[in-house]
Amino acid sequence: MTDLLASATRLTVDYCRISRDRIDAGEGVDSQHLDCEESADELQLSIAKTYTDNDISAFSGVERPEYQQLLRDIKTGTIGVLIIWHAKRLHRLIDEATAFIRLARKYKVRVYSHCAGWYNFEKAAGRKAFLQDTLDGQGESEERGERVALARKRQARTGAYGGGVRPYGWGVDTGRVRSRCINPKAPPMDRIYEDHPVWDMSKHRPEEAEEIRTWAKKILSGVPMAHIVVDLNARGVPTQSRTDGRIFRRKGTVTDNTRWGSRTIKAILTNPRVSGHTVYQGKILKHNMFEPIIPEDTRQALITLLNDPSRDVSGGNTPKWLGSLIYECGDCNDGTTVKQRVRNGRPCYVCIKHGHCLHPAEEIDAFIEDVLIERLGRHDAAALLPLHAAVDATALREEAVMLNANRRTLATKLALGQMAEDVYDIGMAAADARLAEISAELKKASPESPLADFAVSDDARKTYLSKDLGQRREILRTVLRVTLIPVGKGRRYVPTADRVDITGANSPRLRAVA
């Protein structure tokens, strides 16, 4: 009793938490708080502050803001008594519970449970009771997780949809609805039910499936991922979560899932589900269960291309002009390219090394596009299409997997001091060079080309203007080699053949006439 009176001279607080709150109403934590207040009254104490983590799991890796604040306040020495509804509301992992016991003992905090009474952390029996209640909660969660996992695996094996996040590209509304209780712990008379559509997850959602096919075609034709992301966000294409009105949390914090990112696109394109396979925890359980959105060969080609270590994943600025890092500087004349810069309020192309070739971007791009469209509109446009090499794609992909495994082995040996740094550098360079060769061979064998549509088009300008910037840049890179000739000071700029040297990327010089 003496210890209790000493603790009561400091603040009495309570902590409430619930893992799932479907409607964000806080009914579960409110009920816990009322029970904690009832316990405080019985102890003749008054709760000064309540810490609440609503709709947040207590497992590790999930951030619980209010719990962390509780720990910080305990360390200030201002808290004397903590009231909880049950130990499993405070922790679900023994490691966390053990650390909490040490903290509570250090700062003389007494803990009372509405369901179990006082936990005397100064006695072995009290610590054991607290840890046992925590362990019971952990075991309860793990058993429920195992049951759910088993059901999910069984559903995946049969191709049934087990709920959860709808895979992008799948799910057609059947016209039927399923009634779902959104507050199942409320008294029967107070429960609220909502109708949710029933989706046929074996069928494609047409507009989303078409987006996926477009991404695959662009990437295989050389369009950088960054351009695809920019284009999606610019067009306002809704993400899966925005379409379905879902709210996602990462470590307890609500995340913005209304904008596209490269990781999301890569995950969708490489997921076995996109080729019609049933998947459980990332592994294929049954092949060809559904009609594929993209063929398996295409998916494998995307996996190889997107995992290529030589691929630019720096996340730097996405070029906003047609010729950035494609046009070459005629003053350097060594393959050095130009980049976009704003000079005197105008976008210009400037040599990336020395600032040569100050060409206004709008005028030179319009000039080059006219030349490009004229070339693509000729009767022999089909001759520009690359010849597809006959390669053993399966063998090349297997070799790429082996090389990537070797790269990881080299890195491990270097970290453990089992390999000299110079030997590591030689091995990595050799692996990267071969991976780049494999990527190039697979790309040559790919049926996709940024020029494919022009071979059957009777209006090259219309076809060209239907492409986004990323596709236009790949078309330019494939057809032309453009070198910008330095411009003399004081001369009004007009794009002409003597200021722009244009040749075919793999062909003789073209006349620079629009």
Side-chain angles (χ1 to χ4, degrees), residues 258-302:
T258 61
R259 294 183 64 80
W260 289 97
S262 58
R263 289 184 180 179
T264 301
I265 296 173
K266 179 180 178 181
I268 292 171
L269 289 174
T270 58
N271 192 315
R273 172 84 189 214
V274 80
S275 292
H277 313 313
T278 58
V279 184
Y280 177 71
Q281 294 184 347
K283 296 181 180 179
I284 298 175
L285 284 186
K286 190 168 183 179
H287 289 77
N288 306 316
M289 176 65 77
F290 313 113
E291 183 71 22
I293 294 177
I294 59 175
E296 176 64 14
D297 284 349
T298 300
R299 187 179 78 89
Q300 290 296 334
L302 289 167

Coordinates of all heavy atoms in Angstrom, one line a residue, residues 258-302:
T258 N -2.5 7.4 -53.7 CA -3.2 7.9 -54.9 C -2.3 8.2 -56.1 O -2.8 8.5 -57.1 CB -3.9 9.2 -54.5 OG1 -2.9 10.2 -54.0 CG2 -4.9 9.0 -53.3
R259 N -1.0 8.1 -55.9 CA 0.0 8.4 -56.9 C 0.8 7.1 -57.3 O 1.0 6.3 -56.4 CB 0.9 9.5 -56.6 CG 0.2 10.8 -56.4 CD 1.2 12.0 -56.1 NE 2.1 12.2 -57.2 CZ 1.8 12.9 -58.3 NH1 0.6 13.4 -58.5 NH2 2.8 13.0 -59.3
W260 N 1.2 7.0 -58.5 CA 1.9 5.9 -59.0 C 3.4 6.0 -58.6 O 3.9 7.1 -58.6 CB 1.8 5.7 -60.5 CG 0.4 5.2 -60.9 CD1 -0.6 6.0 -61.3 CD2 -0.1 3.9 -60.9 NE1 -1.7 5.2 -61.5 CE2 -1.4 3.9 -61.3 CE3 0.5 2.7 -60.5 CZ2 -2.2 2.8 -61.4 CZ3 -0.3 1.5 -60.6 CH2 -1.6 1.6 -61.1
G261 N 4.1 4.9 -58.5 CA 5.5 4.8 -58.2 C 6.1 3.7 -59.0 O 5.4 2.7 -59.4
S262 N 7.4 3.7 -59.2 CA 8.1 2.7 -60.0 C 8.0 1.3 -59.3 O 7.9 0.3 -60.0 CB 9.5 3.0 -60.3 OG 10.2 3.3 -59.1
R263 N 8.1 1.3 -58.0 CA 8.0 0.0 -57.3 C 6.7 -0.7 -57.5 O 6.6 -1.9 -57.7 CB 8.3 0.2 -55.8 CG 9.7 0.6 -55.5 CD 9.9 0.6 -54.0 NE 11.3 1.0 -53.6 CZ 11.7 1.1 -52.4 NH1 10.9 1.0 -51.4 NH2 13.0 1.5 -52.2
T264 N 5.6 0.1 -57.5 CA 4.3 -0.5 -57.7 C 4.1 -1.1 -59.1 O 3.6 -2.2 -59.2 CB 3.2 0.6 -57.5 OG1 3.3 1.1 -56.2 CG2 1.8 0.0 -57.7
I265 N 4.6 -0.3 -60.1 CA 4.5 -0.8 -61.5 C 5.3 -2.1 -61.6 O 4.9 -3.1 -62.2 CB 4.9 0.3 -62.4 CG1 4.0 1.5 -62.3 CG2 5.0 -0.3 -63.9 CD1 4.4 2.7 -63.1
K266 N 6.5 -2.1 -61.1 CA 7.4 -3.3 -61.2 C 6.7 -4.5 -60.5 O 6.7 -5.6 -61.1 CB 8.8 -3.0 -60.6 CG 9.7 -4.2 -60.6 CD 11.0 -3.9 -60.0 CE 11.9 -5.1 -60.0 NZ 13.3 -4.9 -59.4
A267 N 6.2 -4.3 -59.3 CA 5.5 -5.4 -58.6 C 4.3 -6.0 -59.4 O 4.1 -7.2 -59.4 CB 5.0 -4.9 -57.3
I268 N 3.6 -5.1 -60.1 CA 2.4 -5.6 -60.9 C 2.9 -6.4 -62.1 O 2.4 -7.4 -62.4 CB 1.6 -4.4 -61.3 CG1 0.9 -3.8 -60.0 CG2 0.5 -4.8 -62.3 CD1 0.2 -2.5 -60.3
L269 N 3.9 -5.8 -62.8 CA 4.4 -6.5 -64.0 C 5.1 -7.8 -63.8 O 5.1 -8.6 -64.7 CB 5.3 -5.5 -64.8 CG 4.6 -4.3 -65.4 CD1 5.7 -3.3 -66.0 CD2 3.7 -4.7 -66.5
T270 N 5.7 -7.9 -62.6 CA 6.5 -9.2 -62.4 C 5.7 -10.2 -61.6 O 6.2 -11.3 -61.4 CB 7.8 -8.8 -61.7 OG1 7.5 -8.1 -60.5 CG2 8.7 -7.9 -62.6
N271 N 4.5 -9.8 -61.1 CA 3.7 -10.7 -60.3 C 3.2 -11.9 -61.1 O 2.7 -11.6 -62.2 CB 2.6 -10.0 -59.6 CG 1.9 -10.8 -58.5 OD1 1.6 -12.0 -58.7 ND2 1.6 -10.2 -57.4
P272 N 3.4 -13.2 -60.7 CA 2.9 -14.3 -61.5 C 1.4 -14.2 -61.9 O 1.0 -14.7 -62.9 CB 3.2 -15.5 -60.7 CG 4.3 -15.1 -59.8 CD 4.1 -13.6 -59.5
R273 N 0.6 -13.5 -61.0 CA -0.8 -13.4 -61.3 C -1.1 -12.7 -62.6 O -2.1 -13.0 -63.3 CB -1.4 -12.5 -60.1 CG -2.9 -12.2 -60.3 CD -3.8 -13.3 -59.9 NE -5.2 -13.1 -60.3 CZ -6.2 -13.4 -59.6 NH1 -6.0 -14.1 -58.4 NH2 -7.5 -13.2 -60.0
V274 N -0.2 -11.8 -63.0 CA -0.4 -11.0 -64.3 C -0.4 -11.9 -65.5 O -0.9 -11.6 -66.5 CB 0.6 -9.9 -64.4 CG1 1.9 -10.4 -64.9 CG2 0.1 -8.8 -65.3
S275 N 0.3 -13.1 -65.3 CA 0.3 -14.1 -66.4 C -0.7 -15.3 -66.2 O -0.5 -16.3 -66.8 CB 1.7 -14.6 -66.6 OG 2.6 -13.6 -67.1
G276 N -1.6 -15.1 -65.2 CA -2.7 -16.0 -65.1 C -2.4 -17.1 -64.1 O -3.2 -18.1 -64.0
H277 N -1.3 -17.0 -63.3 CA -1.0 -18.1 -62.3 C -1.6 -17.7 -60.9 O -1.7 -16.6 -60.6 CB 0.5 -18.3 -62.2 CG 1.2 -18.3 -63.5 ND1 0.8 -19.2 -64.5 CD2 2.4 -17.7 -63.9 CE1 1.6 -19.0 -65.5 NE2 2.6 -18.1 -65.2
T278 N -2.0 -18.7 -60.2 CA -2.4 -18.5 -58.8 C -1.1 -18.4 -57.9 O -0.2 -19.2 -58.1 CB -3.3 -19.6 -58.3 OG1 -2.6 -20.9 -58.3 CG2 -4.6 -19.7 -59.1
V279 N -1.2 -17.5 -57.0 CA 0.0 -17.1 -56.2 C -0.3 -17.2 -54.7 O -1.4 -16.8 -54.3 CB 0.5 -15.7 -56.6 CG1 1.8 -15.4 -55.8 CG2 0.7 -15.6 -58.1
Y280 N 0.6 -17.7 -53.9 CA 0.5 -17.6 -52.5 C 1.9 -17.2 -51.9 O 2.9 -17.9 -52.2 CB 0.1 -19.0 -51.9 CG 0.1 -19.0 -50.4 CD1 -0.9 -18.3 -49.7 CD2 1.1 -19.7 -49.6 CE1 -0.9 -18.3 -48.3 CE2 1.0 -19.7 -48.2 CZ 0.1 -19.0 -47.6 OH 0.0 -18.9 -46.2
Q281 N 1.9 -16.1 -51.2 CA 3.2 -15.6 -50.7 C 4.3 -15.4 -51.7 O 5.4 -15.8 -51.5 CB 3.7 -16.4 -49.5 CG 2.7 -16.4 -48.3 CD 3.2 -17.2 -47.1 OE1 4.2 -17.9 -47.2 NE2 2.6 -16.9 -45.9
G282 N 3.9 -15.0 -52.9 CA 4.8 -14.7 -54.0 C 5.2 -15.9 -54.8 O 6.0 -15.8 -55.7
K283 N 4.7 -17.1 -54.4 CA 5.1 -18.3 -55.1 C 3.9 -18.8 -55.9 O 2.8 -18.8 -55.5 CB 5.6 -19.4 -54.2 CG 6.9 -19.0 -53.4 CD 7.3 -20.1 -52.5 CE 8.6 -19.7 -51.7 NZ 9.0 -20.8 -50.8
I284 N 4.2 -19.4 -57.1 CA 3.2 -20.0 -58.0 C 2.7 -21.3 -57.4 O 3.5 -22.2 -57.2 CB 3.7 -20.1 -59.4 CG1 4.1 -18.8 -60.0 CG2 2.7 -20.8 -60.3 CD1 4.8 -18.9 -61.4
L285 N 1.4 -21.4 -57.2 CA 0.8 -22.7 -56.7 C 0.3 -23.5 -57.9 O 0.4 -24.7 -58.0 CB -0.3 -22.4 -55.7 CG 0.1 -22.1 -54.3 CD1 -1.1 -22.0 -53.4 CD2 1.1 -23.1 -53.7
K286 N -0.3 -22.8 -58.9 CA -0.8 -23.5 -60.1 C -0.7 -22.6 -61.3 O -1.1 -21.4 -61.2 CB -2.3 -23.8 -59.8 CG -2.8 -24.8 -60.9 CD -4.2 -25.3 -60.6 CE -4.7 -26.3 -61.6 NZ -6.0 -26.9 -61.3
H287 N -0.1 -23.1 -62.3 CA 0.1 -22.3 -63.6 C -1.2 -22.3 -64.4 O -2.0 -23.2 -64.4 CB 1.2 -22.9 -64.4 CG 2.6 -22.8 -63.8 ND1 3.0 -23.5 -62.8 CD2 3.6 -21.9 -64.1 CE1 4.3 -23.2 -62.4 NE2 4.6 -22.2 -63.2
N288 N -1.3 -21.1 -65.1 CA -2.4 -21.0 -66.1 C -3.8 -21.2 -65.6 O -4.6 -21.9 -66.3 CB -2.1 -21.9 -67.3 CG -0.7 -21.7 -67.9 OD1 -0.2 -20.5 -68.0 ND2 0.0 -22.8 -68.2
M289 N -4.0 -20.7 -64.4 CA -5.4 -20.9 -63.8 C -6.3 -19.9 -64.5 O -7.5 -20.2 -64.7 CB -5.3 -20.6 -62.3 CG -6.7 -20.7 -61.6 SD -7.5 -22.3 -61.7 CE -6.5 -23.1 -60.4
F290 N -5.9 -18.7 -64.9 CA -6.7 -17.7 -65.5 C -6.2 -17.3 -66.8 O -5.0 -17.6 -67.2 CB -6.8 -16.5 -64.6 CG -7.1 -16.8 -63.1 CD1 -6.1 -16.5 -62.2 CD2 -8.3 -17.3 -62.7 CE1 -6.3 -16.8 -60.8 CE2 -8.5 -17.6 -61.4 CZ -7.5 -17.3 -60.5
E291 N -7.0 -16.6 -67.6 CA -6.5 -16.0 -68.8 C -5.5 -14.9 -68.5 O -5.8 -14.0 -67.7 CB -7.7 -15.4 -69.6 CG -7.4 -14.8 -70.9 CD -7.1 -15.8 -72.0 OE1 -7.5 -17.0 -71.8 OE2 -6.4 -15.5 -73.0
P292 N -4.3 -15.0 -69.1 CA -3.2 -14.0 -68.7 C -3.5 -12.6 -69.3 O -4.1 -12.5 -70.3 CB -2.0 -14.6 -69.4 CG -2.5 -15.4 -70.5 CD -3.8 -16.0 -70.1
I293 N -3.0 -11.6 -68.6 CA -3.0 -10.2 -69.1 C -1.9 -10.1 -70.0 O -2.0 -9.5 -71.1 CB -3.0 -9.2 -67.9 CG1 -4.3 -9.3 -67.1 CG2 -2.8 -7.8 -68.5 CD1 -4.3 -8.4 -65.9
I294 N -0.7 -10.5 -69.6 CA 0.5 -10.6 -70.5 C 1.0 -12.0 -70.5 O 1.0 -12.7 -69.5 CB 1.6 -9.5 -70.1 CG1 2.0 -9.8 -68.7 CG2 1.1 -8.1 -70.2 CD1 3.2 -8.9 -68.2
P295 N 1.6 -12.5 -71.6 CA 2.1 -13.8 -71.6 C 3.3 -14.0 -70.7 O 4.0 -13.1 -70.3 CB 2.6 -14.0 -73.1 CG 1.9 -12.9 -73.8 CD 1.7 -11.8 -72.9
E296 N 3.5 -15.3 -70.3 CA 4.6 -15.6 -69.3 C 5.9 -15.2 -69.9 O 6.8 -14.7 -69.2 CB 4.5 -17.1 -69.0 CG 5.7 -17.6 -68.1 CD 5.7 -17.0 -66.7 OE1 4.6 -16.4 -66.4 OE2 6.7 -17.1 -66.0
D297 N 6.2 -15.4 -71.2 CA 7.4 -15.0 -71.8 C 7.7 -13.5 -71.7 O 8.8 -13.1 -71.4 CB 7.5 -15.4 -73.3 CG 7.7 -16.9 -73.5 OD1 8.0 -17.6 -72.5 OD2 7.6 -17.4 -74.6
T298 N 6.6 -12.8 -71.8 CA 6.8 -11.3 -71.7 C 7.1 -11.0 -70.2 O 7.9 -10.1 -69.9 CB 5.5 -10.6 -72.1 OG1 5.2 -10.9 -73.5 CG2 5.6 -9.1 -71.9
R299 N 6.4 -11.6 -69.3 CA 6.7 -11.4 -67.9 C 8.2 -11.7 -67.5 O 8.8 -11.0 -66.8 CB 5.7 -12.2 -67.0 CG 5.9 -11.9 -65.5 CD 4.9 -12.7 -64.7 NE 5.3 -14.0 -64.5 CZ 6.1 -14.4 -63.5 NH1 6.5 -13.6 -62.6 NH2 6.4 -15.7 -63.4
Q300 N 8.6 -12.8 -68.0 CA 10.0 -13.2 -67.8 C 11.0 -12.2 -68.4 O 12.0 -11.9 -67.8 CB 10.3 -14.6 -68.3 CG 9.6 -15.7 -67.6 CD 10.1 -15.9 -66.1 OE1 11.2 -15.5 -65.8 NE2 9.2 -16.4 -65.3
A301 N 10.7 -11.7 -69.6 CA 11.5 -10.7 -70.2 C 11.6 -9.4 -69.3 O 12.6 -8.8 -69.2 CB 11.0 -10.4 -71.6
L302 N 10.4 -9.1 -68.8 CA 10.3 -7.9 -67.9 C 11.1 -8.1 -66.7 O 11.8 -7.1 -66.2 CB 8.9 -7.6 -67.6 CG 8.0 -7.0 -68.8 CD1 6.5 -7.1 -68.4 CD2 8.4 -5.6 -69.1

